[in-house]
Amino acid sequence: SAVISQKPSRDICQRGTSLTIQCQVDSQVTMMFWYRQQPGQSLTLIATANQGSEATYESGFVIDKFPISRPNLTFSTLTVSNMSPEDSSIYLCSVDSINEQFFGPGTRLTVL
Amino acid sequence: GQQLNQSPQSMFIQEGEDVSMNCTSSSIFNTWLWYKQDPGEGPVLLIALYKAGELTSNGRLTAQFGITRKDSFLNISASIPSDVGIYFCAGPPTSGTYKYIFGTGTRLKVLA
């Protein structure tokens, strides 16, 4: 299984600002995924990030709000733009390895 | 959209008791994954199932891939306090895709 780290682990932000979350994997992977977990809820896929191409967003998520970068096979960033309190969630990155997905520890975001 | 419904939503059990939970879908799945999420952490993969009828164990945990391919079950035997957490089922709703949807979760609390 892959070892995945995320930075920051948590942050408290003011509305209207943006936060960039980093995800680092200890091995090269083709596909990385970004999920959102709202308080007390399950995980919802935001987008799939492939190296060398634009991220693919799920219904209800747009690039202007959640721009993603994937500069190489071990790293990705997710930016939460123009934040509002409704963006308060845990944001998780994951990677797929032979039909099994492994997750980072998550970034807990609170927007005031 | 597709949903994975888990039951029970939450449960309190005594230490040493066995626990059963299930996950149902309105459509067929070809893979079922079971995860556990501790507070402040990302989900950790417990068991992966790939074939209808498959029964797989991981220590005190046993999971089954339902014959109809629309459900899966997770059993925990002789529960201990560290079993506390949220258990999620997950799977790709479309064969050959890496996009997973997650169940609604079962919150387990163990009373010592």
Side-chain angles (χ1 to χ4, degrees):
Chain A
S1 64
V3 177
I4 305 167
S5 59
Q6 287 185 233
K7 288 181 185 179
S9 58
R10 58 177 61 228
D11 208 342
I12 301 173
C13 301
Q14 296 296 324
R15 70 171 68 212
T17 63
S18 298
L19 176 72
T20 295
I21 302 167
Q22 299 178 8
C23 179
Q24 180 76 52
V25 189
D26 69 342
S27 57
Q28 294 185 337
V29 292
T30 303
M31 307 182 90
M32 294 179 75
F33 306 88
W34 287 98
Y35 286 82
R36 181 176 72 182
Q37 187 176 26
Q38 293 177 301
Q41 302 295 313
S42 185
L43 284 74
T44 301
L45 182 63
I46 297 172
T48 303
N50 293 332
Q51 194 264 337
S53 64
E54 292 276 330
T56 304
Y57 290 83
E58 297 302 303
S59 175
F61 299 96
V62 295
I63 188 171
D64 289 348
K65 176 68 176 177
F66 296 103
I68 288 170
S69 77
R70 183 79 199 275
N72 58 52
L73 292 174
T74 63
F75 187 79
S76 179
T77 68
L78 169 76
T79 298
V80 186
S81 303
N82 188 24
M83 290 184 282
S84 68
E86 292 70 35
D87 294 320
S88 297
S89 294
I90 299 172
Y91 292 87
L92 297 138
C93 71
S94 76
V95 303
D96 185 278
S97 176
I98 317 174
N99 296 324
E100 298 176 2
Q101 283 200 10
F102 298 93
F103 285 83
T107 295
R108 183 179 293 271
L109 172 61
T110 301
V111 184
L112 303 178
Chain B
Q2 286 176 299
Q3 273 192 328
L4 293 179
N5 294 308
Q6 289 185 241
S7 67
Q9 192 173 27
S10 65
M11 54 168 53
F12 283 88
I13 59 167
Q14 293 287 338
E15 183 177 357
E17 287 185 347
D18 297 343
V19 175
S20 292
M21 60 189 79
N22 67 58
C23 179
T24 60
S25 167
S26 57
S27 57
I28 288 172
F29 275 60
N30 293 318
T31 299
W32 288 99
L33 305 179
W34 282 94
Y35 289 87
K36 180 183 179 230
Q37 186 176 29
D38 291 327
E41 303 288 332
V44 173
L45 182 63
L46 300 173
I47 293 178
L49 302 162
Y50 298 105
K51 201 163 88 172
E54 180 180 353
L55 188 71
T56 297
S57 294
N58 178 7
R60 294 180 294 106
L61 277 62
T62 302
Q64 184 162 23
F65 193 139
I67 290 291
T68 66
R69 293 162 64 194
K70 291 184 178 182
D71 55 12
S72 180
F73 308 89
L74 177 69
N75 296 312
I76 305 173
S77 62
S79 58
I80 60 178
S82 61
D83 290 332
V84 166
I86 305 175
Y87 292 80
F88 291 104
C89 60
T94 304
S95 184
T97 180
Y98 297 100
K99 297 181 183 180
Y100 285 67
I101 61 171
F102 278 73
T104 49
T106 293
R107 187 180 297 270
L108 179 64
K109 300 184 183 181
V110 180
L111 305 173

